[in-house]
Amino acid sequence: MESITEKRKLDRENTLRPIRFIEEKNIVRVIDQRLLPHEFKWLDLKTVEDVIAAIQTMVVRGAPLIGVTAAYGVVLAVLNTVKINQGDDFLETECSKIKAARPTAVNLAWAVDRILAEVRTVKDPDQKITTAKKQAGIIEAFETESCRLIGVHGLPLMEALCEAKHGRTVNILTHCNAGWLACVEYGTATAPIYAAHEKGINIHVWVDETRPLNQGARLTAWELGRKGVKHTVITDNAGGHLMQHGLVDAVIVGTDRTTHTGDVANKIGTYLKALAAKDNGIPFYVALPSSTFDWTLTDGIQEIPIEEREPHEVRYVQGLDGGKIRNVLVPPEQSPVANFAFDVTPARLVTAFITERGVCKPTREDILKLFPEKREIP
Ligand code: MRU
């Protein structure tokens, strides 16, 4: 991976995307999210190995972006397969490696399988490359448009909250980063928030810091700040207290994998927020593009694979110290540590899903009303 420091001052209005495919060079350029908000750097991914490492080390993260990065990883795999004169068997092995990079976000396998299926139908090597590039572009466009539409369908929910509060500030709580950094544009959980902000709704966001990697404190706060959305970073444990005191009007989160029965896997700690929201009668919305539905799994708690990551992410906290990004040790060095990256919120705790096709209840029946073409899947 090669890094390029972003020299130009970031323009507040500039619509950034966390990923670009540079056609002339056949490379994937991504924002290195490990360094945000203190340093802004692009990284160039030139090989399948680079793509896998970027996904595993969280240079890129968030379910839709993992899928889009994997899609461009398949493009690199096809280019290499043609270059070294290999066939579909080699390509499939490379794709399996990409799919194994992270286990929980289903967008990864969804994107890889979609491109592979199209590339397999083509014989000519140059055509395989053209097909892979076209399909990766389609996936990127699909995720972008889905997030825009999540904003469109989520806006009436925000307007209803605003009306109920007679114009007083609408307080939304969110967990992790489900913003444009995790997607391509708009974000999932943030799409209704941005739509409401643009419409002039008085909105404020409680941002869970989201230990261990602090995607909320580092990424969501940075995103919201750039867009001028009022927000406050809170510790992960503060949500219940705020809800008890009427300071949260709704929770909106993203998801990494959602069963067609409505169970939601998302960043560790999401389940506790859903429990607290239920106890306090606060709506708990999950925003997702259809690429995040897993149409094959029925019981989220038993069946969704939960990633366990390296202990050093829990042991160390990263921050800015004297102008330099540093990691500092928190617990005793010898204490054992566990690092479960996701948890599953059962459907019964979810108020509704906000998807690119509309809002639905977290039941198989209601989800299939929006996605009837998935009915034949048992
Ligand atoms: O481990 P991460 O940072 O990839 O986890 C991301 C999340 O849990 C997001 O909430 C989820 O992917 C939804 S992104 C739109």
Side-chain angles (χ1 to χ4, degrees):
M1 280 189 260
E2 192 173 282
S3 77
I4 301 166
T5 306
E6 178 79 348
K7 295 269 191 312
R8 74 188 162 80
K9 194 175 163 289
L10 288 172
D11 175 3
R12 280 177 73 85
E13 300 312 317
N14 185 19
T15 303
L16 274 174
R17 284 188 172 198
I19 190 163
R20 302 173 191 170
F21 185 71
I22 314 281
E23 181 76 44
E24 319 80 77
K25 297 184 178 175
N26 283 327
I27 55 172
V28 188
R29 186 163 288 170
V30 294
I31 295 175
D32 187 346
Q33 300 195 21
R34 297 170 302 181
L35 304 177
L36 288 173
H38 304 301
E39 206 176 318
F40 188 96
K41 233 180 210 181
W42 293 102
L43 274 188
D44 284 350
L45 315 178
K46 298 177 176 172
T47 63
V48 168
E49 288 69 32
D50 284 350
V51 165
I52 293 170
I55 293 172
Q56 286 176 337
T57 60
M58 312 270 263
V59 167
V60 292
R61 28 70 47 205
L65 182 61
I66 291 171
V68 173
T69 310
Y72 286 116
V74 178
V75 172
L76 298 183
V78 174
L79 282 160
N80 190 43
T81 304
V82 170
K83 187 173 159 197
I84 63 173
N85 226 354
Q86 290 284 336
D88 280 356
D89 286 353
F90 177 83
L91 177 63
E92 273 169 43
T93 308
E94 292 295 277
C95 286
S96 304
K97 288 187 210 159
I98 299 173
K99 274 165 71 172
R102 285 189 78 188
T104 304
V106 75
N107 304 56
L108 174 52
W110 172 82
V112 172
D113 289 342
R114 242 179 100 132
I115 304 193
L116 199 51
E118 293 293 328
V119 171
R120 268 205 214 102
T121 63
V122 179
K123 286 263 172 312
D124 176 66
D126 285 340
Q127 275 301 314
K128 279 186 184 289
I129 295 171
T130 313
T131 304
K133 285 183 177 175
K134 185 176 167 205
Q135 289 302 319
I138 289 172
I139 287 171
E140 182 179 347
F142 172 81
E143 296 293 24
T144 310
E145 179 60 2
S146 293
C147 288
R148 189 186 71 77
L149 289 168
I150 287 169
V152 169
H153 296 301
L155 179 60
L157 299 172
M158 302 297 101
E159 287 172 328
L161 290 172
C162 179
E163 215 176 295
K165 293 205 76 178
H166 307 291
R168 279 178 289 119
T169 307
V170 173
N171 288 300
I172 303 294
L173 185 142
T174 193
H175 192 68
C176 197
N177 171 261
W180 62 262
L181 280 167
C183 304
V184 180
E185 283 185 36
Y186 310 101
T188 54
T190 53
I193 294 168
Y194 288 140
H197 176 68
E198 272 163 33
K199 198 86 196 281
I201 290 174
N202 182 6
I203 197 161
H204 165 263
V205 184
W206 296 110
V207 178
D208 280 354
E209 58 180 353
T210 319
R211 279 281 287 146
L213 292 179
N214 287 319
Q215 288 95 326
R218 295 188 301 108
L219 307 176
T220 306
W222 183 75
E223 264 196 35
L224 294 174
R226 278 177 48 103
K227 296 256 186 205
V229 178
K230 282 189 284 177
H231 61 282
T232 306
V233 178
I234 50 173
T235 61
D236 289 329
N237 299 324
H241 168 76
L242 295 173
M243 291 180 201
Q244 285 173 329
H245 290 271
L247 293 169
V248 178
D249 298 305
V251 179
I252 314 181
V253 296
T255 164
D256 290 82
R257 189 186 295 232
T258 287
T259 65
H260 59 101
T261 50
D263 295 340
V264 174
N266 192 47
K267 181 54 56 192
I268 192 82
T270 302
Y271 170 50
L272 293 177
K273 294 299 136 68
L275 281 172
K278 186 77 166 181
D279 193 45
N280 289 280
I282 292 165
F284 185 92
Y285 296 115
V286 179
L288 73 162
S290 53
S291 51
T292 310
F293 277 115
D294 187 326
W295 304 100
T296 67
L297 303 186
T298 303
D299 182 336
I301 294 170
Q302 297 304 324
E303 295 176 303
I304 296 178
I306 298 297
E307 178 179 17
E308 286 182 55
R309 294 184 59 82
E310 291 296 316
H312 71 81
E313 292 180 352
V314 175
R315 288 205 171 101
Y316 289 85
V317 174
Q318 177 184 291
L320 197 65
D321 175 28
K324 282 215 161 79
I325 295 176
R326 292 191 210 278
N327 288 303
V328 295
L329 180 66
V330 180
E333 201 161 14
Q334 302 314 320
S335 289
V337 152
N339 189 6
F340 298 96
F342 300 94
D343 60 24
V344 174
T345 298
R348 68 187 153 76
L349 300 179
V350 176
T351 306
F353 292 133
I354 312 170
T355 78
E356 75 269 23
R357 294 203 191 160
V359 176
C360 68
K361 289 199 207 93
T363 62
R364 178 175 156 81
E365 198 192 346
D366 233 46
I367 295 166
L368 289 178
K369 275 187 202 154
L370 287 183
F371 300 95
E373 71 277 20
K374 301 292 179 188
R375 268 187 200 284
E376 68 280 8
I377 296 168

